[in-house]
Amino acid sequence: MRTGDGLLVRLNPVAGGLVPMSLIGLGESALRHGNGIMEVTARGSLQIRGLTTESARLLAAEVDALGIDVRSSVPVEIGPLAGIDPEEIADPRPLAERIRAAIEEAGLTARLGPKVSVVVDGGGQLTMDLLTADVRLKAVRADAGVQWSVSVAGDAHSAKPLATVDAEAARDIAVAALRMVAEKGREAHTRDLSERQLASLAGWHSFAPPSVLPDISPPWGEIRSRSAANSHVPTSAIGESARAGLISPLEGEMSGRTEGGAVERHRSPIGLLNLTEGHALGIALPFGSMPAQNLIDLASEAANLGATEIRLASGRALLFLGLTPSAASTLQACAVALGFVTSPTDPRTRIAACPGTPACASGHIPTRAIAETIAKQNPDLLDASLTLHISGCTKGCAHPGAAALTLVGDENGAGLVVDGTAKALPAAYRPGYDAARGVAGIFAALRAQSHQGETVAACLKRLGAAGIAELYRRNQ
Ligand code: SF4
């Protein structure tokens, strides 16, 4: 993808994990061919930035030489601890594999856009709830054993529920939904399906689906009539109202840059996680990016300490497997020294910041430096109701949605947007180098003026956009 700092390459290893030597090799390729910045996105994809058309080709050859098999078909995503998490309800890997095979068999990859995705969530310690997807399958416990709840177009909260069925029916519904999307063209997503089509999918399980799905998509007429005949099909479960809340699939990745801060609190991948055998140590990249050399150093230390595998996790994290508890604590100390995030309460996990200047040519302000200063000065970042986004320009790559406070760079400096997106008109400006001081003024007022029990978000509302803009402007 073309970005403000040249081409960006996103890699999703098929096997889910890399041996430490592969990550070291990728880091060296990033140094040789890119601008030396590597990223792990909020969805857990690895990105290398600053490539040219020619250097991207060289990088691809080196990825092949490293023996890293990368995903090239429709993403069918599973959690990074799939199959090794003692808390998961079901191992999602077999179902994900069957869906991948069915997609290939139906020839859908070429007919679907690159941002169409499926999530198969077996449950467990690391939630996939925040990931948007065209089709979501989530394992649930039922009297009949494990079932899969199928929903479409959104994250766990906004997706439209269709049905709760066994694995085979879940696969059939997922592939049928993708066929419907493919019929609408490469720009389409499941959010574009009609209520009637969704009702057809919801009713799919209540009659025996063919073992091999038909090649031509709508047997809609057929499905509709069969569906209608099944009056018990809970079409009311397809909440009309949910549509308003839909987030476009792969939000954040659509821009081709590191996604921004999901503010909802879920179990963090950062820290020590118990596995069926042994542990995984989660270490995150601050704001999703790091110089490649730091990643090489961390992976080298991990290899020396006996790590067998490094998995990419959503939340911009790397999970190191195969370490003893004492090796894990040695690696953690090394990560701290290299500037990585090793605690889930690190305030840097609460700020969305794109690369900004100097990494991105479109940037007007040094987003990461501003974010680092704010995080250092405010270790608690007030409370979890505050969303803070720092954007190098109005594109808002790191957080496409609205945030309580957004600092956005433009030719006038660092603008402040209250309760809006980076595209909104700023209410006040400061020079980019001095933006953190303006935010400090707002935070000081929030601390001094918030009422007992009042959240930061509520206090911001009470102070009003004009009052907050004044606080930002005047702090010296
Ligand atoms: S939002 Fe940030 S990363 Fe995106 S184009 Fe602007 S400066 Fe570059």
Side-chain angles (χ1 to χ4, degrees):
M1 278 160 287
R2 190 157 295 284
T3 70
D5 56 344
L7 293 178
L8 172 149
V9 165
R10 181 176 299 147
L11 297 167
N12 292 97
V14 169
L18 297 164
V19 294
M21 292 316 290
S22 295
L23 187 57
I24 293 168
L26 277 176
E28 288 169 348
S29 293
L31 282 176
R32 259 194 301 277
H33 303 303
N35 63 3
I37 301 287
M38 289 177 80
E39 300 179 324
V40 176
T41 71
R43 281 186 95 92
S45 302
L46 190 71
Q47 295 185 163
I48 295 175
R49 303 186 71 94
L51 297 141
T52 62
T53 313
E54 181 50 28
S55 68
R57 258 189 231 110
L58 297 170
L59 177 89
E62 290 182 9
V63 169
D64 280 347
L66 286 167
I68 301 170
D69 202 4
V70 292
R71 185 177 72 202
S72 55
S73 56
V74 176
V76 180
E77 299 178 68
I78 54 175
L81 299 182
I84 54 173
D85 184 347
E87 293 181 29
E88 74 185 356
I89 295 170
D91 182 348
R93 292 174 299 177
L95 177 54
E97 205 37 64
R98 290 168 69 192
I99 293 171
R100 287 186 194 114
I103 289 171
E104 285 313 305
E105 198 179 316
L108 290 174
T109 296
R111 297 171 60 206
L112 291 165
K115 293 180 180 109
V116 171
S117 70
V118 178
V119 159
V120 185
D121 184 356
Q125 298 176 72
L126 298 182
T127 179
M128 301 182 80
D129 288 357
L130 296 176
L131 301 189
T132 55
D134 284 84
V135 184
R136 312 182 60 82
L137 280 64
K138 174 140 189 162
V140 290
R141 289 196 177 91
D143 292 344
V146 172
Q147 297 272 291
W148 294 87
S149 125
V150 185
S151 56
V152 292
D155 60 22
H157 303 294
S158 62
K160 290 186 173 195
L162 293 181
T164 300
V165 292
D166 64 20
E168 192 177 342
R171 178 205 58 183
D172 289 346
I173 295 171
V175 178
L178 295 179
R179 280 178 186 276
M180 290 181 183
V181 172
E183 289 289 314
K184 288 181 178 284
R186 279 178 56 84
E187 293 302 312
H189 287 282
T190 48
R191 63 176 179 238
D192 302 314
L193 299 182
S194 67
E195 292 300 324
R196 190 176 275 184
Q197 286 177 313
L198 295 176
S200 302
L201 292 168
W204 187 272
H205 65 294
S206 55
F207 52 87
S211 57
V212 176
L213 292 167
D215 280 339
I216 300 167
S217 187
W220 306 137
E222 187 191 354
I223 291 171
R224 257 180 243 141
S225 56
R226 286 205 232 169
S227 212
N230 286 282
S231 53
H232 65 281
V233 172
T235 49
S236 58
I238 305 165
E240 194 89 50
S241 59
R243 197 157 189 88
L246 295 187
I247 303 170
S248 60
L250 292 178
E251 176 183 325
E253 293 213 345
M254 293 172 89
S255 63
R257 296 175 176 89
T258 305
E259 305 95 320
V263 174
E264 228 171 315
R265 307 312 283 167
H266 284 272
R267 187 151 176 186
S268 166
I270 304 167
L272 211 55
L273 298 147
N274 287 330
L275 303 182
T276 311
E277 282 178 30
H279 301 91
L281 174 66
I283 293 172
L285 284 65
F287 315 113
S289 82
M290 257 293 173
Q293 189 59 53
N294 296 39
L295 272 171
I296 293 171
D297 293 347
L298 187 68
S300 304
E301 179 71 359
N304 293 339
L305 289 166
T308 50
E309 192 180 337
I310 302 172
R311 295 192 178 187
L312 300 159
S314 55
R316 309 182 190 91
L318 299 169
L319 300 178
F320 294 82
L321 275 56
L323 296 167
T324 63
S326 84
S329 78
T330 306
L331 187 64
Q332 218 165 18
C334 167
V336 171
L338 288 167
F340 286 88
V341 176
T342 59
S343 162
T345 58
D346 188 312
R348 290 176 293 175
T349 62
R350 302 260 320 279
I351 304 175
C354 74
T357 57
C360 177
S362 302
H364 293 272
I365 56 173
T367 47
R368 300 280 164 91
I370 295 169
E372 285 280 356
T373 308
I374 293 172
K376 259 194 204 106
Q377 291 172 347
N378 303 277
D380 60 346
L381 270 186
L382 304 175
D383 72 27
S385 71
L386 177 74
T387 50
L388 182 56
H389 175 202
I390 304 173
S391 185
C393 76
T394 54
K395 263 193 172 176
C397 297
H399 188 74
L405 298 175
T406 299
L407 293 183
V408 54
D410 64 23
E411 51 288 344
N412 298 316
L416 173 75
V417 174
V418 181
D419 195 18
T421 70
K423 292 186 172 33
L425 194 65
Y429 280 96
R430 287 183 83 99
Y433 65 84
D434 198 34
R437 198 198 303 259
V439 173
I442 299 172
F443 282 13
L446 287 168
R447 283 198 185 90
Q449 296 181 34
S450 64
H451 297 154
Q452 178 115 28
E454 187 181 38
T455 63
V456 168
C459 188
L460 278 170
K461 215 173 201 142
R462 183 164 56 76
L463 295 178
I468 295 161
E470 187 53 28
L471 289 165
Y472 177 68
R473 213 174 0 234
R474 78 167 180 223
N475 191 40
Q476 293 307 322

